[in-house]
């Protein structure tokens, strides 16, 4: 797939990343952190899935470089990566507990050409301590996606924590190459109970529910696929 139409957007994102990193060295001390929010196994219909979601950043309180990755890999029958995404962004704080982010995303597709997107997002803590992440992705041929994610930590004790989470994905137009429709594509909701042996190490168990909607669901049904799935999960959360 050609990516020439994204070249200006990616160049602007790269310049912003470089400028932000250069400015951070001049203005404030830098620090770094890596959080593996989900590293888990799911008991899916097609077999056991290994699922990960992680983020890392480097910089100060105002400006930082932000890297995230998420994906799924089927562990049975020799293993196959079903989805793999990385995102690099310059993150700038515009209010207490809130950052806006400018960057780029790449989808590493096993059977199709890799796909690049420019990204613009907002990340922070909403009222009542809901962690919120909203991202607009702009791709080739007028393709756009909007992703909304939120989660909440309910403390039973200082170590035992229940985390409900919700993710919603919407598309501006149909994507025949990936066989997805416009409008609301899917919802994913999870409920995970973790125990913090230490703050940096917390095993958890839970349940995860996914469902497709609208034209995306119709396309999946026509292809003989399932549009809804509920899985049990077990994993660990790490940060350092």
């Amino acid at each position: 797939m050609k990516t020439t139409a994204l070249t200006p957007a990616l160049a602007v994102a790269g310049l912003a990343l470089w400028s932000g990193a250069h400015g951070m060295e001049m203005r404030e001390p830098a620090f770094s952190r890596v959080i593996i929010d989900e590293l888990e196994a799911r008991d899916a219909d097609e077999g056991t899935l290994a699922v990960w979601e992680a983020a890392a950043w480097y910089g100060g309180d105002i400006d930082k470089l932000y890297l995230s990755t998420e994906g799924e890999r089927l562990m049975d029958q020799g293993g196959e990566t079903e989805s793999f995404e990385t995102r690099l962004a310059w993150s700038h704080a515009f209010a207490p507990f809130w950052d806006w982010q400018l960057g780029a995303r790449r989808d590493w597709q096993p059977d199709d050409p890799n796909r690049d997107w420019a990204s613009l997002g907002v990340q922070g803590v909403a009222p009542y301590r809901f962690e919120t992440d909203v991202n607009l992705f702009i791709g080739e041929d007028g393709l756009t996606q909007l992703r909304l994610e939120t989660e909440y930590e309910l403390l039973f004790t200082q170590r035992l924590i229940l985390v409900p989470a919700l993710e919603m994905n919407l598309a501006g137009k149909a994507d025949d190459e990936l066989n997805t429709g416009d409008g609301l594509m899917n919802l994913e909701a999870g409920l995970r109970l973790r125990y913090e042996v230490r703050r940096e190490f917390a095993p958890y168990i839970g349940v995860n529910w996914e469902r497709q909607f609208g034209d995306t669901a119709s396309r999946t049904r026509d292809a003989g696929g399932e549009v809804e799935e509920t899985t049990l999960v077990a994993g660990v959360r790490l940060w350092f």
Side-chain angles (χ1 to χ4, degrees):
M1 178 180 177
K2 296 182 180 179
T3 58
T4 53
L6 276 184
T7 300
L10 296 178
V12 170
L15 179 60
L17 293 174
W18 179 87
S19 300
H22 183 71
M24 286 185 295
E25 296 177 356
M26 301 296 294
R27 291 196 300 269
E28 53 184 333
F31 62 94
S32 62
R33 176 161 295 180
V34 176
I35 295 181
I36 304 174
D37 202 46
E38 293 178 10
L39 182 59
E40 64 189 33
R42 296 183 184 177
D43 184 22
D45 292 338
E46 65 269 34
T48 301
L49 282 176
V51 181
W52 69 91
E53 183 175 328
W57 61 86
Y58 176 81
D61 293 330
I62 304 299
D63 294 290
K64 57 178 70 73
L65 293 179
Y66 179 87
L67 174 68
S68 67
T69 177
E70 59 182 77
E72 299 179 358
R73 181 174 176 83
L74 183 63
M75 301 304 294
D76 299 337
Q77 303 173 352
E80 178 182 342
T81 300
E82 298 195 345
S83 64
F84 179 26
E85 170 190 311
T86 56
R87 185 161 60 92
L88 179 66
W90 170 44
S91 184
H92 178 78
F94 65 90
F97 308 111
W98 284 97
D99 297 350
W100 64 259
Q101 298 179 337
L102 173 66
R105 160 186 153 194
R106 166 161 284 195
D107 297 341
W108 307 83
Q109 302 176 103
D111 300 323
D112 299 306
N114 298 328
R115 177 169 295 186
D116 294 319
W117 308 76
S119 69
L120 177 64
V122 177
Q123 185 181 78
V125 181
Y128 303 101
R129 301 191 63 81
F130 283 90
E131 296 185 15
T132 304
D133 198 351
V134 181
N135 284 283
L136 173 65
F137 302 108
I138 304 171
E140 286 285 327
D141 302 322
L143 292 173
T144 57
Q145 291 183 2
L146 181 66
R147 178 181 299 166
L148 301 93
E149 301 173 82
T150 186
E151 69 175 38
Y152 180 78
E153 294 189 350
L154 178 61
L155 276 67
F156 294 135
T157 70
Q158 291 299 313
R159 293 180 181 269
L160 189 63
I161 303 170
L162 183 66
V163 184
L166 179 67
E167 178 179 320
M168 178 189 304
N169 289 282
L170 303 96
K173 62 181 293 188
D175 186 344
D176 294 332
E177 185 176 332
L178 295 183
N179 201 32
T180 58
D182 59 353
L184 178 60
M185 293 192 296
N186 60 57
L187 281 176
E188 181 174 349
L191 192 64
R192 291 167 177 80
L193 180 67
R194 74 172 185 255
Y195 182 80
E196 294 187 344
V197 179
R198 298 184 301 169
R199 293 298 302 273
E200 301 88 348
F201 178 79
Y204 62 82
I205 57 173
V207 61
N208 198 76
W209 171 81
E210 299 178 65
R211 195 188 193 291
Q212 296 179 349
F213 293 89
D215 188 34
T216 299
S218 298
R219 289 167 178 251
T220 299
R221 291 191 189 97
D222 292 342
E226 297 292 332
V227 301
E228 184 174 0
E229 186 174 32
T230 301
T231 56
L232 298 176
V233 308
V236 63
R237 182 180 188 267
L238 306 164
W239 66 265
F240 49 89

